[in-house]
């Protein structure tokens, strides 16, 4: 069953490199990024895990916990972690789930049989503090993810959860944002003291409200 935006992220208990994880309990009041890797000791995944380790302070700044998954046992992850540190210059500093029986991978529909019937694709699930799924992205095994994009998306998700705005194409934190169409001009004037520019009645732009 596909997991859709707005669904409660399925809860699970699974072993990880940092001990057993009960997903919802582990998330607490944080946002979460759950992301899958096709297999241990594979080159693209090695680079991704090193990059996420380096970006951990950026995730922490945003109150986001990161959780990787690879369909191999934790004992393999521990050996792989040495290679990640050696080759990427960053030690694994977040938990990596072991999932040799593919329980979590199946629960999250991370195996796409027409791509590969045993390995996962590169899934990304962003979960809010309410445990609901806010974003999903799926990449094929051959394409490494861009974690700057994941951080950018988190900035948008967190901003739009708090303010009645949407973020335009290629938006980055600090850029102007769009007033949601559901707000009348009067409501928008009250909510956005810096004002807004109406390029069209449906396209109204305002400075980012939390800056
Ligand atoms: C990789 O992480 O390098 C990879 C994994 C599975 C298939 C292709 C590439």
């Amino acid at each position: 069953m596909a997991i859709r935006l707005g669904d409660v992220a399925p809860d699970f208990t699974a072993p990880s490199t940092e001990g057993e994880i009960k997903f919802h309990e582990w998330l607490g009041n944080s946002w979460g990024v759950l992301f899958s890797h096709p297999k241990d000791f594979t080159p693209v995944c090695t680079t991704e895990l090193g990059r996420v380790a380096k970006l951990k302070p950026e995730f922490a700044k945003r109150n986001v916990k990161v959780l990787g998954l690879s369909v191999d046992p934790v004992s393999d992850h521990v050996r792989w972690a040495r290679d990640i540190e050696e080759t990427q210059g960053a030690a694994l500093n977040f938990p990596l789930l072991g999932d040799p029986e593919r329980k979590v991978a199946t629960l999250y529909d991370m195996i796409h049989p027409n791509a590969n019937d045993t390995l996962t694709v590169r899934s990304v699930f962003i979960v809010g503090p309410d445990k609901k799924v806010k974003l999903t992205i799926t990449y094929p095994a051959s394409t490494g993810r861009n974690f700057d994009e994941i951080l950018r998306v988190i900035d948008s998700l967190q901003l739009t959860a708090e303010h009645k705005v949407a973020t335009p194409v290629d938006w980055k934190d600090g850029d102007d944002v769009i007033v949601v169409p559901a707000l009348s001009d009067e409501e928008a004037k009250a909510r956005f003291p810096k004002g807004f520019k109406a390029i069209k009645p449906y396209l109204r732009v305002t400075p980012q409200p939390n800056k």
Side-chain angles (χ1 to χ4, degrees):
M1 179 69 177
I3 295 173
R4 295 180 174 167
L5 302 192
D7 291 355
V8 172
D11 198 13
F12 57 81
T13 301
S16 86
T17 48
E18 297 188 8
E20 185 179 82
I21 300 247
K22 293 178 194 294
F23 186 49
H24 284 193
E25 187 182 309
W26 176 82
L27 280 170
N29 293 320
S30 300
W31 289 68
V33 176
L34 171 65
F35 61 112
S36 61
H37 294 275
K39 190 142 191 61
D40 288 11
F41 302 102
T42 49
V44 176
C45 300
T46 301
T47 61
E48 287 188 325
L49 289 169
R51 177 73 178 139
V52 174
K54 286 180 187 159
L55 286 174
K56 190 166 177 201
E58 289 299 321
F59 286 106
K61 228 163 63 183
R62 293 162 172 83
N63 187 31
V64 179
K65 290 182 173 178
V66 287
L67 180 58
L69 173 149
S70 179
V71 291
D72 284 310
V74 167
S75 54
D76 285 4
H77 296 353
V78 170
R79 288 190 298 117
W80 185 26
R82 292 183 211 128
D83 292 357
I84 293 164
E85 182 167 11
E86 179 192 325
T87 62
Q88 307 304 306
L92 197 65
N93 53 10
F94 56 90
L96 186 57
L97 297 172
D99 193 29
E101 291 166 14
R102 290 149 174 76
K103 286 185 186 160
V104 180
T106 303
L107 187 64
Y108 275 79
D109 198 27
M110 291 165 167
I111 295 175
H112 295 196
N114 290 324
N116 188 300
D117 56 7
T118 51
L119 307 181
T120 70
V121 290
R122 296 184 195 280
S123 301
V124 181
F125 294 89
I126 300 182
V127 180
D130 58 1
K131 314 289 185 287
K132 291 194 177 156
V133 175
K134 306 299 180 187
L135 178 131
T136 66
I137 322 180
T138 307
Y139 295 71
S142 51
T143 302
R145 286 159 283 209
N146 181 330
F147 285 91
D148 290 322
E149 167 62 3
I150 306 294
L151 287 170
R152 187 195 75 85
V153 159
I154 290 168
D155 286 338
S156 171
L157 292 171
Q158 294 185 338
L159 177 71
T160 59
E162 288 297 317
H163 299 275
K164 297 230 176 271
V165 296
T167 58
V169 61
D170 295 339
W171 175 87
K172 295 183 304 306
D173 188 42
D175 289 351
D176 287 352
V177 298
I178 288 171
V179 177
V180 294
L183 275 192
S184 67
D185 281 354
E186 287 63 40
E187 287 167 322
K189 274 179 206 147
R191 272 187 186 268
F192 305 113
K194 291 178 198 152
F196 61 87
K197 187 170 151 197
I199 299 161
K200 290 280 180 192
Y202 60 84
L203 177 54
R204 297 168 297 172
V205 176
T206 188
Q208 186 173 325
N210 62 349
K211 290 285 176 190

